[in-house]
mmCIF file of all heavy atoms in Angstrom:
data_model
loop_
_atom_site.group_PDB
_atom_site.id
_atom_site.type_symbol
_atom_site.label_atom_id
_atom_site.label_comp_id
_atom_site.label_asym_id
_atom_site.label_seq_id
_atom_site.Cartn_x
_atom_site.Cartn_y
_atom_site.Cartn_z
ATOM 1 N N MET A 10 16.154 8.639 -13.109
ATOM 2 C CA MET A 10 14.717 8.389 -13.158
ATOM 3 C C MET A 10 14.413 7.041 -12.380
ATOM 4 O O MET A 10 15.390 6.258 -12.079
ATOM 5 C CB MET A 10 14.176 8.297 -14.609
ATOM 6 C CG MET A 10 14.837 7.143 -15.340
ATOM 7 S SD MET A 10 14.317 7.263 -17.125
ATOM 8 C CE MET A 10 15.287 8.656 -17.702
ATOM 9 N N VAL A 11 13.072 6.802 -12.089
ATOM 10 C CA VAL A 11 12.726 5.523 -11.512
ATOM 11 C C VAL A 11 11.678 4.918 -12.325
ATOM 12 O O VAL A 11 10.667 5.527 -12.582
ATOM 13 C CB VAL A 11 12.247 5.787 -10.043
ATOM 14 C CG1 VAL A 11 11.735 4.470 -9.434
ATOM 15 C CG2 VAL A 11 13.256 6.444 -9.186
ATOM 16 N N ARG A 12 11.857 3.686 -12.732
ATOM 17 C CA ARG A 12 10.907 2.937 -13.486
ATOM 18 C C ARG A 12 10.041 2.054 -12.541
ATOM 19 O O ARG A 12 10.570 1.204 -11.765
ATOM 20 C CB ARG A 12 11.508 1.985 -14.554
ATOM 21 C CG ARG A 12 12.370 2.836 -15.520
ATOM 22 C CD ARG A 12 12.948 2.026 -16.642
ATOM 23 N NE ARG A 12 11.981 1.509 -17.554
ATOM 24 C CZ ARG A 12 12.285 0.916 -18.742
ATOM 25 N NH1 ARG A 12 13.592 0.713 -19.017
ATOM 26 N NH2 ARG A 12 11.338 0.480 -19.540
ATOM 27 N N VAL A 13 8.756 2.284 -12.513
ATOM 28 C CA VAL A 13 7.818 1.551 -11.580
ATOM 29 C C VAL A 13 6.933 0.613 -12.463
ATOM 30 O O VAL A 13 6.247 1.056 -13.384
ATOM 31 C CB VAL A 13 6.959 2.598 -10.775
ATOM 32 C CG1 VAL A 13 6.020 1.813 -9.746
ATOM 33 C CG2 VAL A 13 7.863 3.578 -9.955
ATOM 34 N N PHE A 14 6.911 -0.595 -12.074
ATOM 35 C CA PHE A 14 6.132 -1.620 -12.730
ATOM 36 C C PHE A 14 5.037 -2.127 -11.711
ATOM 37 O O PHE A 14 5.347 -2.424 -10.537
ATOM 38 C CB PHE A 14 6.960 -2.726 -13.250
ATOM 39 C CG PHE A 14 7.911 -2.396 -14.375
ATOM 40 C CD1 PHE A 14 9.241 -1.901 -13.960
ATOM 41 C CD2 PHE A 14 7.556 -2.388 -15.698
ATOM 42 C CE1 PHE A 14 10.119 -1.504 -14.867
ATOM 43 C CE2 PHE A 14 8.535 -2.037 -16.624
ATOM 44 C CZ PHE A 14 9.824 -1.678 -16.275
ATOM 45 N N SER A 15 3.781 -2.160 -12.258
ATOM 46 C CA SER A 15 2.677 -2.764 -11.412
ATOM 47 C C SER A 15 2.233 -3.977 -12.122
ATOM 48 O O SER A 15 1.722 -3.978 -13.237
ATOM 49 C CB SER A 15 1.549 -1.762 -11.297
ATOM 50 O OG SER A 15 0.491 -2.271 -10.642
ATOM 51 N N PHE A 16 2.323 -5.132 -11.426
ATOM 52 C CA PHE A 16 2.013 -6.485 -11.997
ATOM 53 C C PHE A 16 0.654 -6.911 -11.465
ATOM 54 O O PHE A 16 0.248 -6.701 -10.286
ATOM 55 C CB PHE A 16 3.123 -7.530 -11.630
ATOM 56 C CG PHE A 16 4.410 -7.302 -12.320
ATOM 57 C CD1 PHE A 16 5.393 -6.506 -11.718
ATOM 58 C CD2 PHE A 16 4.697 -7.772 -13.583
ATOM 59 C CE1 PHE A 16 6.621 -6.262 -12.315
ATOM 60 C CE2 PHE A 16 5.919 -7.540 -14.166
ATOM 61 C CZ PHE A 16 6.831 -6.791 -13.596
ATOM 62 N N ASP A 17 -0.058 -7.608 -12.340
ATOM 63 C CA ASP A 17 -1.317 -8.210 -12.011
ATOM 64 C C ASP A 17 -1.434 -9.622 -12.475
ATOM 65 O O ASP A 17 -1.117 -9.924 -13.615
ATOM 66 C CB ASP A 17 -2.510 -7.335 -12.599
ATOM 67 C CG ASP A 17 -3.856 -7.899 -12.294
ATOM 68 O OD1 ASP A 17 -4.324 -7.615 -11.164
ATOM 69 O OD2 ASP A 17 -4.449 -8.632 -13.120
ATOM 70 N N PHE A 18 -1.836 -10.509 -11.577
ATOM 71 C CA PHE A 18 -2.012 -11.920 -11.918
ATOM 72 C C PHE A 18 -3.476 -12.138 -12.338
ATOM 73 O O PHE A 18 -4.408 -11.667 -11.714
ATOM 74 C CB PHE A 18 -1.687 -12.824 -10.779
ATOM 75 C CG PHE A 18 -0.270 -12.909 -10.501
ATOM 76 C CD1 PHE A 18 0.255 -12.314 -9.413
ATOM 77 C CD2 PHE A 18 0.613 -13.700 -11.337
ATOM 78 C CE1 PHE A 18 1.671 -12.329 -9.156
ATOM 79 C CE2 PHE A 18 1.978 -13.762 -11.063
ATOM 80 C CZ PHE A 18 2.452 -13.144 -9.952
ATOM 81 N N SER A 19 -3.697 -12.905 -13.410
ATOM 82 C CA SER A 19 -5.042 -13.304 -13.845
ATOM 83 C C SER A 19 -5.703 -14.211 -12.778
ATOM 84 O O SER A 19 -5.225 -15.258 -12.449
ATOM 85 C CB SER A 19 -5.076 -13.973 -15.118
ATOM 86 O OG SER A 19 -4.530 -13.166 -16.197
ATOM 87 N N LYS A 20 -6.849 -13.703 -12.196
ATOM 88 C CA LYS A 20 -7.514 -14.518 -11.099
ATOM 89 C C LYS A 20 -6.636 -15.088 -10.128
ATOM 90 O O LYS A 20 -6.530 -16.210 -9.874
ATOM 91 C CB LYS A 20 -8.366 -15.647 -11.810
ATOM 92 C CG LYS A 20 -9.426 -15.095 -12.741
ATOM 93 C CD LYS A 20 -10.196 -16.264 -13.431
ATOM 94 C CE LYS A 20 -11.261 -15.741 -14.352
ATOM 95 N NZ LYS A 20 -12.069 -16.885 -14.964
ATOM 96 N N ALA A 21 -5.847 -14.117 -9.518
ATOM 97 C CA ALA A 21 -4.734 -14.460 -8.626
ATOM 98 C C ALA A 21 -5.102 -15.520 -7.611
ATOM 99 O O ALA A 21 -4.479 -16.569 -7.490
ATOM 100 C CB ALA A 21 -4.200 -13.179 -7.978
ATOM 101 N N PHE A 22 -6.097 -15.253 -6.737
ATOM 102 C CA PHE A 22 -6.403 -16.127 -5.669
ATOM 103 C C PHE A 22 -7.003 -17.489 -6.161
ATOM 104 O O PHE A 22 -6.899 -18.414 -5.428
ATOM 105 C CB PHE A 22 -7.477 -15.426 -4.713
ATOM 106 C CG PHE A 22 -6.814 -14.442 -3.885
ATOM 107 C CD1 PHE A 22 -6.397 -13.126 -4.244
ATOM 108 C CD2 PHE A 22 -6.601 -14.776 -2.454
ATOM 109 C CE1 PHE A 22 -5.837 -12.297 -3.437
ATOM 110 C CE2 PHE A 22 -6.029 -13.806 -1.621
ATOM 111 C CZ PHE A 22 -5.623 -12.524 -2.112
ATOM 112 N N ASP A 23 -7.605 -17.523 -7.345
ATOM 113 C CA ASP A 23 -8.251 -18.756 -7.862
ATOM 114 C C ASP A 23 -7.255 -19.612 -8.563
ATOM 115 O O ASP A 23 -7.730 -20.795 -8.946
ATOM 116 C CB ASP A 23 -9.413 -18.393 -8.810
ATOM 117 C CG ASP A 23 -10.548 -17.555 -8.128
ATOM 118 O OD1 ASP A 23 -10.727 -17.832 -6.938
ATOM 119 O OD2 ASP A 23 -11.139 -16.798 -8.712
#
Side-chain angles (χ1 to χ4, degrees):
M10 61 187 74
V11 176
R12 300 181 73 168
V13 181
F14 296 89
S15 176
F16 292 90
D17 181 79
F18 288 105
S19 297
K20 299 181 179 180
F22 282 76
D23 295 328

